[in-house]
Amino acid sequence: MEISEITERALKEFGSADTESALEEAYNKYLSKKGEISQLMSQMGKLPKEEKASFGKAVNDARNAATAAYQAKRAEIEKKKLAERLEKEAIDITLPAKNKNIGHINPYYAVIDEVTDIFLDMGYQVVEGRDVETDRFNFELLNVPKDHPARDMQDTYYLEGSDLLLRTQTSAAQAHTMLEKEVKTPIRMISPGKAYRRDDDDMTHSHQFAQIEALVVDHNISMANLKATLELFAKKMFGEKREIRLRSSYFPFTEPSVEVDVSCFACGGKGCKTCKGTGWIEILGAGMVNPKVLEACGYDPKEWSGFAFGVGVERVAMLRYGIDDIRRIYTDDVRFLKDYIGK
């Protein structure tokens, strides 16, 4: 049988093989040690010497052609198998994903962030205070000496055997800021943070709560500056239609002192359940910085004046979001966050 005929037949069978088994069968038939092409070399010994070289070359060419055809077909079959496997194991990325419960920011932080942004826009500096304070900074520098009756309203937690205590107000940061200034310069700051007082835990009270205290110290600061600042804050926080009113009050660290009410944002000042029929809602305490506080903190009250006020974060959150129980703010219940913040 001629070499060209065997080669032609081998190439045809390799080309028509469409499975691995058919391809291996053709390989065994032509290219294995006992295959037809390999057996051609056994005829070499019967040929005249002058024909051996050309015969050997023809056999090698036939083997190379058949081997190339076998390898090409094997690569084609493996590629086809891989494509079928990928199609079978493919993930349909167009399918909708499983829903995940997404949390929401707590009202505590939502109010702090919003109030902070308002005062940053007004040029105020944010000062972080200390949760653990000394009696001096928490009380004495703020015109609340030992045995002062005002301490009864701010009964707190002391560390045993020391004058250290959990601060009852973030106002202590104001005293730190004033005293740290070796060269006395104007101050415009807020200090958000937690405060602690021994109190009953009920729907409207908590032993831990948050305040944002503000302090402005400069030359010729008056109640007019305080009122203008509070009006701007109320409109930015509660809406452009909101109005404020000041009512005389008492705080040891301010003189004169006022309670600040905002017109009810639920009824527009007409009177409703939210404002208890008055048309007004109390939101903070404020006043002109007491000259004794300025003097104790190194500012000459004859040259400097200022105002201060404190916002109760949870109170604003309860009014803003209609929260009926202050304790819910601290439960970390995702359902609560979704109901009030994620609407």
Side-chain angles (χ1 to χ4, degrees):
M1 188 177 292
E2 293 185 359
I3 296 175
S4 59
E5 183 181 346
I6 295 175
T7 303
E8 183 179 348
R9 186 154 45 84
L11 295 178
K12 184 177 181 180
E13 291 191 27
F14 282 136
S16 62
D18 56 359
T19 63
E20 281 186 309
S21 59
L23 183 62
E24 292 306 314
E25 185 178 342
Y27 177 87
N28 292 331
K29 182 177 180 180
Y30 295 102
L31 293 173
S32 66
K33 289 182 178 181
K34 295 182 179 181
E36 293 184 23
I37 295 178
S38 299
Q39 289 299 314
L40 289 171
M41 295 302 293
S42 64
Q43 300 177 22
M44 186 78 72
K46 301 176 183 180
L47 296 174
K49 184 178 180 180
E50 60 273 13
E51 296 180 8
K52 287 183 178 181
S54 59
F55 181 82
K57 183 178 183 304
V59 173
N60 284 334
D61 289 344
R63 179 185 294 280
N64 291 338
T67 300
Y70 165 76
Q71 291 175 341
K73 193 63 176 182
R74 184 175 183 83
E76 180 183 328
I77 292 175
E78 289 180 349
K79 183 178 181 180
K80 182 180 179 182
K81 280 181 62 179
L82 178 60
E84 291 174 349
R85 181 181 174 186
L86 291 175
E87 183 177 358
K88 182 179 179 181
E89 298 179 359
I91 299 174
D92 187 355
I93 62 173
T94 63
L95 291 174
K98 292 182 179 179
N99 291 329
K100 293 184 179 180
N101 291 327
I102 300 176
H104 298 278
I105 188 170
N106 191 290
Y108 175 96
Y109 295 105
V111 170
I112 288 178
D113 290 346
E114 188 169 356
V115 173
T116 299
D117 287 343
I118 290 172
F119 283 100
L120 284 175
D121 288 344
M122 294 166 64
Y124 283 63
Q125 175 189 8
V126 178
V127 177
E128 291 188 9
R130 311 168 189 182
D131 283 42
V132 178
E133 273 293 357
T134 63
D135 186 275
R136 176 172 177 251
F137 279 95
N138 193 79
F139 288 124
E140 293 179 21
L141 289 175
L142 300 177
N143 195 36
V144 187
K146 288 180 173 57
D147 300 324
H148 193 288
R151 291 203 182 200
D152 294 338
M153 298 183 291
Q154 298 188 23
D155 198 7
T156 189
Y157 304 93
Y158 284 83
L159 277 66
E160 187 174 359
S162 72
D163 71 339
L164 298 177
L165 64 151
L166 296 181
R167 66 182 179 187
T168 61
Q169 55 203 358
T170 56
S171 305
Q174 301 174 5
H176 279 288
T177 300
M178 287 189 282
L179 281 173
E180 287 170 0
K181 288 183 173 291
E182 295 183 7
V183 177
K184 300 307 177 184
T185 57
I187 297 173
R188 188 176 297 172
M189 59 161 283
I190 61 169
S191 179
K194 296 177 182 177
Y196 310 85
R197 297 181 189 178
R198 195 177 68 181
D199 204 344
D200 295 329
D201 284 348
D202 56 31
M203 293 177 63
T204 58
H205 297 85
S206 173
H207 65 280
Q208 171 189 295
F209 56 97
Q211 285 183 329
I212 301 178
E213 294 273 356
L215 171 69
V216 170
V217 176
D218 207 332
H219 301 286
N220 302 316
I221 297 296
S222 68
M223 283 291 289
N225 301 119
L226 171 61
K227 184 179 180 183
T229 301
L230 294 176
E231 284 180 336
L232 180 59
F233 165 67
K235 291 182 182 298
K236 286 182 173 290
M237 190 69 190
F238 300 109
E240 288 296 324
K241 295 182 179 180
R242 302 284 69 80
E243 298 179 359
I244 66 168
R245 71 175 182 181
L246 309 182
R247 292 181 290 109
S248 180
S249 186
Y250 168 77
F251 303 110
F253 32 85
T254 54
E255 178 62 38
S257 304
V258 292
E259 297 284 357
V260 182
D261 303 330
V262 63
S263 57
C264 182
F265 33 85
C267 65
K270 297 178 181 179
C272 67
K273 181 179 178 181
T274 301
C275 61
K276 300 179 181 179
T278 65
W280 297 92
I281 298 174
E282 179 185 328
I283 58 169
L284 57 87
M288 300 301 296
V289 180
N290 194 307
K292 293 183 179 179
V293 174
L294 289 172
E295 187 173 9
C297 294
Y299 278 79
D300 185 353
K302 295 180 180 179
E303 181 181 354
W304 300 89
S305 59
F307 63 75
F309 58 87
V311 181
V313 172
E314 292 88 350
R315 181 170 184 80
V316 173
M318 293 177 74
L319 294 171
R320 185 73 175 276
Y321 300 107
I323 299 171
D324 57 357
D325 192 329
I326 191 174
R327 293 169 295 188
R328 301 188 68 186
I329 296 174
Y330 297 104
T331 59
D332 292 330
D333 189 329
V334 175
R335 295 168 298 179
F336 160 72
L337 301 181
K338 183 176 180 181
D339 287 344
Y340 287 99
I341 305 298
K343 291 180 180 178

